[in-house]
Amino acid sequence: MAIIKPMIRSNICINAHPMGCAQDTRNQIAYVKAQKAKRGVKTAAEGGYAPKNVLVLGCSTGYGLASRISAAFEFGADTIGVSFEKEASETKGGTPGWYNNLTFDTEAKKAGLKSATFNMDAFSDECRQTVIDEAKKWGVKFDLVVYSLASPVRTDPDTKVLYKSVLKPIGKPFGGPSLDMMSGKITVTEVQPADGDDIPNTVKVMGGEDWERWIKMLSEAGVLAEGVRTVAYSYIGPKYSHPIYRDGTIGEAKKDLEARAHNIDASLKALNGAAYVSVNKGLVTRSSAVIPIIAQYLGVLFKIMKENGTHEGCIEQMERLFSERLYTADKKVPVDSENRIRVDDLELDPAVQAKVDEIMPKVTEENVAELTDLAGIRHDFLMINGFDVPGVDYEKEVTLMNAIE
């Protein structure tokens, strides 16, 4: 038995709170249920335009989890999820995603929704075969495949070579303020540029090759439905982060993802299907928290967007993606000139970015709490690990580390 407190080092939290993760997942479920009622969304069973069977690759946290929750609890879909998480035991904690998945499956069962979650390496053909076998066992075909994988490593299924991704600028070093969300301290961090095979290796891990392989295997196995849609997630962001992100190694991988979306789209035409990349808003995630300049930028951005009433977290973004982009009344998906879905429209609104430009250079350690939403980004950072979640008693002792009740 223990009272669990967050263990944080340099914007990295190394533990999770079981009840907090569970409650956060339930809060997201409650949000989409409320949106269903507010928008008057009808599930396929209710005669609406909605997905019936959804596969979410990278289903355990962030946008992947929010996608699965939106698909299931607002649009009524049965879902299969894949993620690679550290399992909890009675005495040892698991990763936040492990608790989120457990909660999702528990709540789906209560709601009469079918769900299966596989704790496997989604980059492996063995995992692809497991999913195909499960779909055939259920007697279903996927009408939506969400690709939301983010990983530092990937083993090529053909060569068995392990590739590692890196977050580095290209051509020259990148320096910027690193805001410690817990202490409010600001230090200048410099990241050296990519060298050797950093760029191709990062593309191999974070690009679109694996997404393309998933769709190919699912298609050949006959488990994709007529009119199937698939969507993968990307980020463009502000000019501040372009050198380290959009114009860096990860950006090269995202450009590969976007290029391959066109190949996948063409391959799905026989099924009247389509492939999209959705460009989403910047959020505090386990990975974004450690990127120089990002924490400070998000702090400034969140303050402005909250004042405007346009701020969204993961669940609000994905709920809007589903209801206002993927499953619209006219059945058309609004896209930009590159065939990308844009739900980063509120973040990149010129008026919002002009305000960001005005505030960013003024931020110091002395005024950081005043000029940025420091409390908000700190809350988001804690919440993705199950801490600072409304409705949870953090002074209560946790008896079993593998229970969520």
Side-chain angles (χ1 to χ4, degrees), residues 179-181 184 281 284 295-307 311-312 359 363 367-381:
L179 169 62
D180 185 309
M181 288 179 282
K281 171 178 179 272
V284 177
Q296 182 174 313
Y297 164 72
L298 292 176
V300 172
L301 177 75
F302 286 13
K303 187 175 174 71
I304 295 163
M305 293 187 78
K306 283 178 182 177
E307 284 167 0
H311 176 71
E312 295 171 316
I359 296 168
V363 178
N367 64 23
V368 66
E370 175 198 335
L371 293 187
T372 78
D373 182 22
L374 184 61
I377 59 172
R378 185 183 289 153
H379 162 73
D380 287 2
F381 172 68

PDB file of all heavy atoms in Angstrom, residues 179-181 184 281 284 295-307 311-312 359 363 367-381:
ATOM      1  N   LEU A 179      11.667  25.487 -21.071  1.00  0.00           N
ATOM      2  CA  LEU A 179      10.911  25.832 -19.871  1.00  0.00           C
ATOM      3  C   LEU A 179      10.634  24.578 -19.056  1.00  0.00           C
ATOM      4  O   LEU A 179      10.045  23.626 -19.570  1.00  0.00           O
ATOM      5  CB  LEU A 179       9.593  26.509 -20.278  1.00  0.00           C
ATOM      6  CG  LEU A 179       8.540  26.725 -19.188  1.00  0.00           C
ATOM      7  CD1 LEU A 179       9.057  27.647 -18.092  1.00  0.00           C
ATOM      8  CD2 LEU A 179       7.252  27.279 -19.793  1.00  0.00           C
ATOM      9  N   ASP A 180      11.097  24.579 -17.818  1.00  0.00           N
ATOM     10  CA  ASP A 180      10.776  23.475 -16.910  1.00  0.00           C
ATOM     11  C   ASP A 180       9.377  23.746 -16.362  1.00  0.00           C
ATOM     12  O   ASP A 180       9.153  24.715 -15.632  1.00  0.00           O
ATOM     13  CB  ASP A 180      11.797  23.420 -15.763  1.00  0.00           C
ATOM     14  CG  ASP A 180      11.586  22.208 -14.863  1.00  0.00           C
ATOM     15  OD1 ASP A 180      10.442  21.994 -14.410  1.00  0.00           O
ATOM     16  OD2 ASP A 180      12.561  21.483 -14.595  1.00  0.00           O
ATOM     17  N   MET A 181       8.417  22.902 -16.747  1.00  0.00           N
ATOM     18  CA  MET A 181       7.021  23.160 -16.420  1.00  0.00           C
ATOM     19  C   MET A 181       6.729  23.106 -14.919  1.00  0.00           C
ATOM     20  O   MET A 181       5.797  23.724 -14.444  1.00  0.00           O
ATOM     21  CB  MET A 181       6.123  22.170 -17.162  1.00  0.00           C
ATOM     22  CG  MET A 181       6.043  22.457 -18.635  1.00  0.00           C
ATOM     23  SD  MET A 181       5.030  21.295 -19.548  1.00  0.00           S
ATOM     24  CE  MET A 181       6.115  19.910 -19.697  1.00  0.00           C
ATOM     25  N   GLY A 184       9.222  26.331 -13.441  1.00  0.00           N
ATOM     26  CA  GLY A 184       9.137  27.622 -14.119  1.00  0.00           C
ATOM     27  C   GLY A 184      10.491  28.162 -14.532  1.00  0.00           C
ATOM     28  O   GLY A 184      10.611  29.269 -15.053  1.00  0.00           O
ATOM     29  N   LYS A 281      -3.283  20.044 -33.596  1.00  0.00           N
ATOM     30  CA  LYS A 281      -2.770  21.151 -32.777  1.00  0.00           C
ATOM     31  C   LYS A 281      -1.640  20.689 -31.859  1.00  0.00           C
ATOM     32  O   LYS A 281      -1.596  19.536 -31.455  1.00  0.00           O
ATOM     33  CB  LYS A 281      -3.938  21.672 -31.938  1.00  0.00           C
ATOM     34  CG  LYS A 281      -3.593  22.677 -30.847  1.00  0.00           C
ATOM     35  CD  LYS A 281      -4.884  23.117 -30.156  1.00  0.00           C
ATOM     36  CE  LYS A 281      -4.625  24.092 -29.037  1.00  0.00           C
ATOM     37  NZ  LYS A 281      -4.365  23.439 -27.768  1.00  0.00           N
ATOM     38  N   VAL A 284       0.661  19.345 -24.982  1.00  0.00           N
ATOM     39  CA  VAL A 284       1.661  18.808 -24.055  1.00  0.00           C
ATOM     40  C   VAL A 284       1.544  17.290 -24.093  1.00  0.00           C
ATOM     41  O   VAL A 284       0.506  16.724 -23.747  1.00  0.00           O
ATOM     42  CB  VAL A 284       1.420  19.314 -22.616  1.00  0.00           C
ATOM     43  CG1 VAL A 284       2.429  18.679 -21.662  1.00  0.00           C
ATOM     44  CG2 VAL A 284       1.539  20.837 -22.558  1.00  0.00           C
ATOM     45  N   ALA A 295       7.665  23.876 -24.889  1.00  0.00           N
ATOM     46  CA  ALA A 295       6.911  24.109 -23.649  1.00  0.00           C
ATOM     47  C   ALA A 295       6.563  25.594 -23.491  1.00  0.00           C
ATOM     48  O   ALA A 295       5.435  25.944 -23.141  1.00  0.00           O
ATOM     49  CB  ALA A 295       7.691  23.596 -22.438  1.00  0.00           C
ATOM     50  N   GLN A 296       7.544  26.465 -23.773  1.00  0.00           N
ATOM     51  CA  GLN A 296       7.284  27.911 -23.663  1.00  0.00           C
ATOM     52  C   GLN A 296       6.247  28.352 -24.695  1.00  0.00           C
ATOM     53  O   GLN A 296       5.325  29.104 -24.388  1.00  0.00           O
ATOM     54  CB  GLN A 296       8.578  28.711 -23.847  1.00  0.00           C
ATOM     55  CG  GLN A 296       8.356  30.217 -23.684  1.00  0.00           C
ATOM     56  CD  GLN A 296       9.655  31.001 -23.725  1.00  0.00           C
ATOM     57  OE1 GLN A 296      10.624  30.633 -23.068  1.00  0.00           O
ATOM     58  NE2 GLN A 296       9.688  32.081 -24.481  1.00  0.00           N
ATOM     59  N   TYR A 297       6.401  27.880 -25.936  1.00  0.00           N
ATOM     60  CA  TYR A 297       5.435  28.221 -26.990  1.00  0.00           C
ATOM     61  C   TYR A 297       4.023  27.771 -26.603  1.00  0.00           C
ATOM     62  O   TYR A 297       3.061  28.528 -26.726  1.00  0.00           O
ATOM     63  CB  TYR A 297       5.847  27.575 -28.321  1.00  0.00           C
ATOM     64  CG  TYR A 297       4.720  27.557 -29.343  1.00  0.00           C
ATOM     65  CD1 TYR A 297       4.304  28.730 -29.962  1.00  0.00           C
ATOM     66  CD2 TYR A 297       4.053  26.371 -29.639  1.00  0.00           C
ATOM     67  CE1 TYR A 297       3.246  28.723 -30.867  1.00  0.00           C
ATOM     68  CE2 TYR A 297       3.003  26.353 -30.546  1.00  0.00           C
ATOM     69  CZ  TYR A 297       2.595  27.534 -31.161  1.00  0.00           C
ATOM     70  OH  TYR A 297       1.546  27.518 -32.038  1.00  0.00           O
ATOM     71  N   LEU A 298       3.908  26.523 -26.119  1.00  0.00           N
ATOM     72  CA  LEU A 298       2.584  26.011 -25.745  1.00  0.00           C
ATOM     73  C   LEU A 298       1.988  26.808 -24.581  1.00  0.00           C
ATOM     74  O   LEU A 298       0.783  27.049 -24.539  1.00  0.00           O
ATOM     75  CB  LEU A 298       2.657  24.520 -25.393  1.00  0.00           C
ATOM     76  CG  LEU A 298       2.967  23.568 -26.558  1.00  0.00           C
ATOM     77  CD1 LEU A 298       3.098  22.133 -26.062  1.00  0.00           C
ATOM     78  CD2 LEU A 298       1.905  23.644 -27.657  1.00  0.00           C
ATOM     79  N   GLY A 299       2.849  27.225 -23.653  1.00  0.00           N
ATOM     80  CA  GLY A 299       2.376  28.040 -22.539  1.00  0.00           C
ATOM     81  C   GLY A 299       1.776  29.352 -23.015  1.00  0.00           C
ATOM     82  O   GLY A 299       0.699  29.774 -22.567  1.00  0.00           O
ATOM     83  N   VAL A 300       2.454  29.997 -23.974  1.00  0.00           N
ATOM     84  CA  VAL A 300       1.958  31.260 -24.547  1.00  0.00           C
ATOM     85  C   VAL A 300       0.683  30.992 -25.356  1.00  0.00           C
ATOM     86  O   VAL A 300      -0.332  31.686 -25.215  1.00  0.00           O
ATOM     87  CB  VAL A 300       3.046  31.919 -25.437  1.00  0.00           C
ATOM     88  CG1 VAL A 300       2.485  33.123 -26.189  1.00  0.00           C
ATOM     89  CG2 VAL A 300       4.246  32.337 -24.591  1.00  0.00           C
ATOM     90  N   LEU A 301       0.730  29.961 -26.208  1.00  0.00           N
ATOM     91  CA  LEU A 301      -0.405  29.619 -27.069  1.00  0.00           C
ATOM     92  C   LEU A 301      -1.663  29.308 -26.260  1.00  0.00           C
ATOM     93  O   LEU A 301      -2.755  29.818 -26.551  1.00  0.00           O
ATOM     94  CB  LEU A 301      -0.046  28.406 -27.941  1.00  0.00           C
ATOM     95  CG  LEU A 301      -1.156  27.892 -28.849  1.00  0.00           C
ATOM     96  CD1 LEU A 301      -1.351  28.810 -30.047  1.00  0.00           C
ATOM     97  CD2 LEU A 301      -0.868  26.465 -29.329  1.00  0.00           C
ATOM     98  N   PHE A 302      -1.507  28.449 -25.246  1.00  0.00           N
ATOM     99  CA  PHE A 302      -2.673  28.032 -24.447  1.00  0.00           C
ATOM    100  C   PHE A 302      -3.336  29.234 -23.774  1.00  0.00           C
ATOM    101  O   PHE A 302      -4.559  29.316 -23.705  1.00  0.00           O
ATOM    102  CB  PHE A 302      -2.271  27.007 -23.385  1.00  0.00           C
ATOM    103  CG  PHE A 302      -1.973  25.629 -23.926  1.00  0.00           C
ATOM    104  CD1 PHE A 302      -1.797  25.407 -25.282  1.00  0.00           C
ATOM    105  CD2 PHE A 302      -1.854  24.540 -23.061  1.00  0.00           C
ATOM    106  CE1 PHE A 302      -1.511  24.134 -25.779  1.00  0.00           C
ATOM    107  CE2 PHE A 302      -1.578  23.262 -23.539  1.00  0.00           C
ATOM    108  CZ  PHE A 302      -1.402  23.063 -24.899  1.00  0.00           C
ATOM    109  N   LYS A 303      -2.518  30.156 -23.266  1.00  0.00           N
ATOM    110  CA  LYS A 303      -3.079  31.339 -22.587  1.00  0.00           C
ATOM    111  C   LYS A 303      -3.934  32.151 -23.566  1.00  0.00           C
ATOM    112  O   LYS A 303      -5.056  32.536 -23.251  1.00  0.00           O
ATOM    113  CB  LYS A 303      -1.939  32.203 -22.022  1.00  0.00           C
ATOM    114  CG  LYS A 303      -2.433  33.364 -21.149  1.00  0.00           C
ATOM    115  CD  LYS A 303      -1.269  34.109 -20.525  1.00  0.00           C
ATOM    116  CE  LYS A 303      -1.734  35.341 -19.770  1.00  0.00           C
ATOM    117  NZ  LYS A 303      -2.453  35.012 -18.529  1.00  0.00           N
ATOM    118  N   ILE A 304      -3.401  32.362 -24.773  1.00  0.00           N
ATOM    119  CA  ILE A 304      -4.128  33.127 -25.796  1.00  0.00           C
ATOM    120  C   ILE A 304      -5.413  32.398 -26.208  1.00  0.00           C
ATOM    121  O   ILE A 304      -6.496  32.997 -26.261  1.00  0.00           O
ATOM    122  CB  ILE A 304      -3.233  33.363 -27.034  1.00  0.00           C
ATOM    123  CG1 ILE A 304      -2.041  34.259 -26.659  1.00  0.00           C
ATOM    124  CG2 ILE A 304      -4.019  33.978 -28.189  1.00  0.00           C
ATOM    125  CD1 ILE A 304      -0.896  34.226 -27.670  1.00  0.00           C
ATOM    126  N   MET A 305      -5.286  31.093 -26.493  1.00  0.00           N
ATOM    127  CA  MET A 305      -6.455  30.337 -26.972  1.00  0.00           C
ATOM    128  C   MET A 305      -7.521  30.173 -25.890  1.00  0.00           C
ATOM    129  O   MET A 305      -8.720  30.179 -26.183  1.00  0.00           O
ATOM    130  CB  MET A 305      -6.018  28.981 -27.535  1.00  0.00           C
ATOM    131  CG  MET A 305      -5.193  29.120 -28.816  1.00  0.00           C
ATOM    132  SD  MET A 305      -4.807  27.555 -29.632  1.00  0.00           S
ATOM    133  CE  MET A 305      -6.360  27.190 -30.459  1.00  0.00           C
ATOM    134  N   LYS A 306      -7.094  30.066 -24.640  1.00  0.00           N
ATOM    135  CA  LYS A 306      -8.079  29.984 -23.549  1.00  0.00           C
ATOM    136  C   LYS A 306      -8.823  31.315 -23.406  1.00  0.00           C
ATOM    137  O   LYS A 306     -10.024  31.339 -23.173  1.00  0.00           O
ATOM    138  CB  LYS A 306      -7.407  29.574 -22.240  1.00  0.00           C
ATOM    139  CG  LYS A 306      -7.086  28.080 -22.191  1.00  0.00           C
ATOM    140  CD  LYS A 306      -6.363  27.658 -20.919  1.00  0.00           C
ATOM    141  CE  LYS A 306      -6.027  26.158 -20.954  1.00  0.00           C
ATOM    142  NZ  LYS A 306      -5.274  25.713 -19.777  1.00  0.00           N
ATOM    143  N   GLU A 307      -8.089  32.412 -23.558  1.00  0.00           N
ATOM    144  CA  GLU A 307      -8.732  33.738 -23.511  1.00  0.00           C
ATOM    145  C   GLU A 307      -9.721  33.899 -24.659  1.00  0.00           C
ATOM    146  O   GLU A 307     -10.771  34.522 -24.514  1.00  0.00           O
ATOM    147  CB  GLU A 307      -7.665  34.848 -23.567  1.00  0.00           C
ATOM    148  CG  GLU A 307      -6.931  35.038 -22.237  1.00  0.00           C
ATOM    149  CD  GLU A 307      -5.674  35.907 -22.342  1.00  0.00           C
ATOM    150  OE1 GLU A 307      -5.359  36.387 -23.463  1.00  0.00           O
ATOM    151  OE2 GLU A 307      -5.010  36.095 -21.300  1.00  0.00           O
ATOM    152  N   HIS A 311      -9.333  27.065 -27.104  1.00  0.00           N
ATOM    153  CA  HIS A 311      -8.361  26.035 -26.714  1.00  0.00           C
ATOM    154  C   HIS A 311      -8.994  24.637 -26.755  1.00  0.00           C
ATOM    155  O   HIS A 311     -10.140  24.457 -26.366  1.00  0.00           O
ATOM    156  CB  HIS A 311      -7.829  26.311 -25.303  1.00  0.00           C
ATOM    157  CG  HIS A 311      -6.905  25.243 -24.804  1.00  0.00           C
ATOM    158  ND1 HIS A 311      -5.638  25.066 -25.318  1.00  0.00           N
ATOM    159  CD2 HIS A 311      -7.071  24.278 -23.854  1.00  0.00           C
ATOM    160  CE1 HIS A 311      -5.064  24.044 -24.704  1.00  0.00           C
ATOM    161  NE2 HIS A 311      -5.901  23.557 -23.810  1.00  0.00           N
ATOM    162  N   GLU A 312      -8.221  23.672 -27.241  1.00  0.00           N
ATOM    163  CA  GLU A 312      -8.674  22.276 -27.256  1.00  0.00           C
ATOM    164  C   GLU A 312      -7.563  21.369 -26.755  1.00  0.00           C
ATOM    165  O   GLU A 312      -6.393  21.602 -27.045  1.00  0.00           O
ATOM    166  CB  GLU A 312      -9.025  21.827 -28.687  1.00  0.00           C
ATOM    167  CG  GLU A 312     -10.206  22.535 -29.305  1.00  0.00           C
ATOM    168  CD  GLU A 312     -10.355  22.212 -30.787  1.00  0.00           C
ATOM    169  OE1 GLU A 312      -9.340  22.203 -31.509  1.00  0.00           O
ATOM    170  OE2 GLU A 312     -11.487  21.977 -31.215  1.00  0.00           O
ATOM    171  N   ILE A 359       4.270  38.050 -27.677  1.00  0.00           N
ATOM    172  CA  ILE A 359       4.561  37.654 -26.290  1.00  0.00           C
ATOM    173  C   ILE A 359       5.845  36.836 -26.140  1.00  0.00           C
ATOM    174  O   ILE A 359       6.592  37.010 -25.169  1.00  0.00           O
ATOM    175  CB  ILE A 359       3.347  36.885 -25.699  1.00  0.00           C
ATOM    176  CG1 ILE A 359       2.137  37.816 -25.637  1.00  0.00           C
ATOM    177  CG2 ILE A 359       3.665  36.323 -24.304  1.00  0.00           C
ATOM    178  CD1 ILE A 359       0.813  37.132 -25.345  1.00  0.00           C
ATOM    179  N   VAL A 363       9.000  36.702 -22.614  1.00  0.00           N
ATOM    180  CA  VAL A 363       8.915  35.736 -21.505  1.00  0.00           C
ATOM    181  C   VAL A 363      10.257  35.588 -20.792  1.00  0.00           C
ATOM    182  O   VAL A 363      11.288  35.342 -21.415  1.00  0.00           O
ATOM    183  CB  VAL A 363       8.417  34.349 -21.997  1.00  0.00           C
ATOM    184  CG1 VAL A 363       8.385  33.350 -20.845  1.00  0.00           C
ATOM    185  CG2 VAL A 363       7.025  34.466 -22.621  1.00  0.00           C
ATOM    186  N   ASN A 367       8.445  36.595 -15.242  1.00  0.00           N
ATOM    187  CA  ASN A 367       7.044  36.825 -15.641  1.00  0.00           C
ATOM    188  C   ASN A 367       6.378  35.617 -16.297  1.00  0.00           C
ATOM    189  O   ASN A 367       5.282  35.727 -16.834  1.00  0.00           O
ATOM    190  CB  ASN A 367       6.949  38.043 -16.574  1.00  0.00           C
ATOM    191  CG  ASN A 367       7.697  37.831 -17.897  1.00  0.00           C
ATOM    192  OD1 ASN A 367       7.933  36.708 -18.321  1.00  0.00           O
ATOM    193  ND2 ASN A 367       8.067  38.928 -18.555  1.00  0.00           N
ATOM    194  N   VAL A 368       7.066  34.454 -16.258  1.00  0.00           N
ATOM    195  CA  VAL A 368       6.553  33.277 -16.997  1.00  0.00           C
ATOM    196  C   VAL A 368       5.149  32.869 -16.542  1.00  0.00           C
ATOM    197  O   VAL A 368       4.305  32.479 -17.357  1.00  0.00           O
ATOM    198  CB  VAL A 368       7.545  32.088 -16.921  1.00  0.00           C
ATOM    199  CG1 VAL A 368       7.687  31.539 -15.509  1.00  0.00           C
ATOM    200  CG2 VAL A 368       7.139  30.963 -17.882  1.00  0.00           C
ATOM    201  N   ALA A 369       4.863  32.990 -15.246  1.00  0.00           N
ATOM    202  CA  ALA A 369       3.546  32.586 -14.745  1.00  0.00           C
ATOM    203  C   ALA A 369       2.456  33.557 -15.190  1.00  0.00           C
ATOM    204  O   ALA A 369       1.285  33.198 -15.287  1.00  0.00           O
ATOM    205  CB  ALA A 369       3.566  32.484 -13.225  1.00  0.00           C
ATOM    206  N   GLU A 370       2.881  34.777 -15.496  1.00  0.00           N
ATOM    207  CA  GLU A 370       1.923  35.814 -15.895  1.00  0.00           C
ATOM    208  C   GLU A 370       1.691  35.810 -17.418  1.00  0.00           C
ATOM    209  O   GLU A 370       0.573  35.922 -17.894  1.00  0.00           O
ATOM    210  CB  GLU A 370       2.505  37.167 -15.433  1.00  0.00           C
ATOM    211  CG  GLU A 370       1.740  38.402 -15.836  1.00  0.00           C
ATOM    212  CD  GLU A 370       2.621  39.655 -15.728  1.00  0.00           C
ATOM    213  OE1 GLU A 370       3.598  39.665 -14.941  1.00  0.00           O
ATOM    214  OE2 GLU A 370       2.327  40.603 -16.472  1.00  0.00           O
ATOM    215  N   LEU A 371       2.779  35.643 -18.201  1.00  0.00           N
ATOM    216  CA  LEU A 371       2.667  35.724 -19.667  1.00  0.00           C
ATOM    217  C   LEU A 371       2.301  34.399 -20.339  1.00  0.00           C
ATOM    218  O   LEU A 371       1.883  34.376 -21.487  1.00  0.00           O
ATOM    219  CB  LEU A 371       3.983  36.246 -20.276  1.00  0.00           C
ATOM    220  CG  LEU A 371       4.367  37.691 -19.981  1.00  0.00           C
ATOM    221  CD1 LEU A 371       5.592  38.089 -20.788  1.00  0.00           C
ATOM    222  CD2 LEU A 371       3.221  38.657 -20.277  1.00  0.00           C
ATOM    223  N   THR A 372       2.497  33.308 -19.628  1.00  0.00           N
ATOM    224  CA  THR A 372       2.134  32.004 -20.201  1.00  0.00           C
ATOM    225  C   THR A 372       1.126  31.307 -19.298  1.00  0.00           C
ATOM    226  O   THR A 372       0.937  31.693 -18.151  1.00  0.00           O
ATOM    227  CB  THR A 372       3.364  31.073 -20.353  1.00  0.00           C
ATOM    228  OG1 THR A 372       3.685  30.516 -19.070  1.00  0.00           O
ATOM    229  CG2 THR A 372       4.577  31.796 -20.895  1.00  0.00           C
ATOM    230  N   ASP A 373       0.519  30.273 -19.829  1.00  0.00           N
ATOM    231  CA  ASP A 373      -0.403  29.453 -19.030  1.00  0.00           C
ATOM    232  C   ASP A 373       0.409  28.350 -18.354  1.00  0.00           C
ATOM    233  O   ASP A 373       0.230  27.167 -18.631  1.00  0.00           O
ATOM    234  CB  ASP A 373      -1.481  28.871 -19.948  1.00  0.00           C
ATOM    235  CG  ASP A 373      -2.516  28.038 -19.189  1.00  0.00           C
ATOM    236  OD1 ASP A 373      -2.660  28.246 -17.966  1.00  0.00           O
ATOM    237  OD2 ASP A 373      -3.156  27.173 -19.820  1.00  0.00           O
ATOM    238  N   LEU A 374       1.334  28.762 -17.483  1.00  0.00           N
ATOM    239  CA  LEU A 374       2.216  27.803 -16.826  1.00  0.00           C
ATOM    240  C   LEU A 374       1.431  26.763 -16.040  1.00  0.00           C
ATOM    241  O   LEU A 374       1.711  25.566 -16.099  1.00  0.00           O
ATOM    242  CB  LEU A 374       3.209  28.536 -15.910  1.00  0.00           C
ATOM    243  CG  LEU A 374       4.278  27.678 -15.225  1.00  0.00           C
ATOM    244  CD1 LEU A 374       5.170  26.983 -16.252  1.00  0.00           C
ATOM    245  CD2 LEU A 374       5.133  28.529 -14.281  1.00  0.00           C
ATOM    246  N   ALA A 375       0.408  27.230 -15.318  1.00  0.00           N
ATOM    247  CA  ALA A 375      -0.419  26.296 -14.523  1.00  0.00           C
ATOM    248  C   ALA A 375      -1.127  25.295 -15.433  1.00  0.00           C
ATOM    249  O   ALA A 375      -1.249  24.117 -15.102  1.00  0.00           O
ATOM    250  CB  ALA A 375      -1.434  27.071 -13.696  1.00  0.00           C
ATOM    251  N   GLY A 376      -1.567  25.760 -16.596  1.00  0.00           N
ATOM    252  CA  GLY A 376      -2.288  24.896 -17.536  1.00  0.00           C
ATOM    253  C   GLY A 376      -1.420  23.823 -18.161  1.00  0.00           C
ATOM    254  O   GLY A 376      -1.812  22.657 -18.239  1.00  0.00           O
ATOM    255  N   ILE A 377      -0.201  24.208 -18.594  1.00  0.00           N
ATOM    256  CA  ILE A 377       0.663  23.195 -19.215  1.00  0.00           C
ATOM    257  C   ILE A 377       1.182  22.221 -18.153  1.00  0.00           C
ATOM    258  O   ILE A 377       1.367  21.044 -18.427  1.00  0.00           O
ATOM    259  CB  ILE A 377       1.807  23.794 -20.075  1.00  0.00           C
ATOM    260  CG1 ILE A 377       2.737  24.702 -19.269  1.00  0.00           C
ATOM    261  CG2 ILE A 377       1.254  24.520 -21.297  1.00  0.00           C
ATOM    262  CD1 ILE A 377       3.973  25.158 -20.043  1.00  0.00           C
ATOM    263  N   ARG A 378       1.380  22.731 -16.927  1.00  0.00           N
ATOM    264  CA  ARG A 378       1.806  21.858 -15.823  1.00  0.00           C
ATOM    265  C   ARG A 378       0.705  20.838 -15.524  1.00  0.00           C
ATOM    266  O   ARG A 378       0.978  19.649 -15.363  1.00  0.00           O
ATOM    267  CB  ARG A 378       2.093  22.722 -14.590  1.00  0.00           C
ATOM    268  CG  ARG A 378       2.655  21.959 -13.414  1.00  0.00           C
ATOM    269  CD  ARG A 378       2.824  22.904 -12.237  1.00  0.00           C
ATOM    270  NE  ARG A 378       3.917  23.849 -12.446  1.00  0.00           N
ATOM    271  CZ  ARG A 378       3.972  25.058 -11.877  1.00  0.00           C
ATOM    272  NH1 ARG A 378       3.001  25.479 -11.099  1.00  0.00           N
ATOM    273  NH2 ARG A 378       5.010  25.840 -12.099  1.00  0.00           N
ATOM    274  N   HIS A 379      -0.535  21.312 -15.499  1.00  0.00           N
ATOM    275  CA  HIS A 379      -1.676  20.418 -15.263  1.00  0.00           C
ATOM    276  C   HIS A 379      -1.761  19.339 -16.350  1.00  0.00           C
ATOM    277  O   HIS A 379      -1.922  18.155 -16.067  1.00  0.00           O
ATOM    278  CB  HIS A 379      -2.979  21.229 -15.234  1.00  0.00           C
ATOM    279  CG  HIS A 379      -4.217  20.412 -15.423  1.00  0.00           C
ATOM    280  ND1 HIS A 379      -4.715  19.581 -14.436  1.00  0.00           N
ATOM    281  CD2 HIS A 379      -5.032  20.249 -16.496  1.00  0.00           C
ATOM    282  CE1 HIS A 379      -5.799  18.967 -14.895  1.00  0.00           C
ATOM    283  NE2 HIS A 379      -5.998  19.347 -16.138  1.00  0.00           N
ATOM    284  N   ASP A 380      -1.632  19.755 -17.622  1.00  0.00           N
ATOM    285  CA  ASP A 380      -1.711  18.797 -18.731  1.00  0.00           C
ATOM    286  C   ASP A 380      -0.606  17.755 -18.640  1.00  0.00           C
ATOM    287  O   ASP A 380      -0.819  16.563 -18.891  1.00  0.00           O
ATOM    288  CB  ASP A 380      -1.601  19.524 -20.081  1.00  0.00           C
ATOM    289  CG  ASP A 380      -2.855  20.313 -20.432  1.00  0.00           C
ATOM    290  OD1 ASP A 380      -3.793  20.326 -19.598  1.00  0.00           O
ATOM    291  OD2 ASP A 380      -2.898  20.921 -21.513  1.00  0.00           O
ATOM    292  N   PHE A 381       0.601  18.224 -18.292  1.00  0.00           N
ATOM    293  CA  PHE A 381       1.754  17.334 -18.167  1.00  0.00           C
ATOM    294  C   PHE A 381       1.509  16.289 -17.073  1.00  0.00           C
ATOM    295  O   PHE A 381       1.772  15.097 -17.254  1.00  0.00           O
ATOM    296  CB  PHE A 381       3.007  18.159 -17.862  1.00  0.00           C
ATOM    297  CG  PHE A 381       4.219  17.338 -17.527  1.00  0.00           C
ATOM    298  CD1 PHE A 381       4.827  16.555 -18.488  1.00  0.00           C
ATOM    299  CD2 PHE A 381       4.753  17.353 -16.242  1.00  0.00           C
ATOM    300  CE1 PHE A 381       5.953  15.802 -18.189  1.00  0.00           C
ATOM    301  CE2 PHE A 381       5.877  16.603 -15.932  1.00  0.00           C
ATOM    302  CZ  PHE A 381       6.473  15.824 -16.905  1.00  0.00           C
TER     303      PHE A 381
END
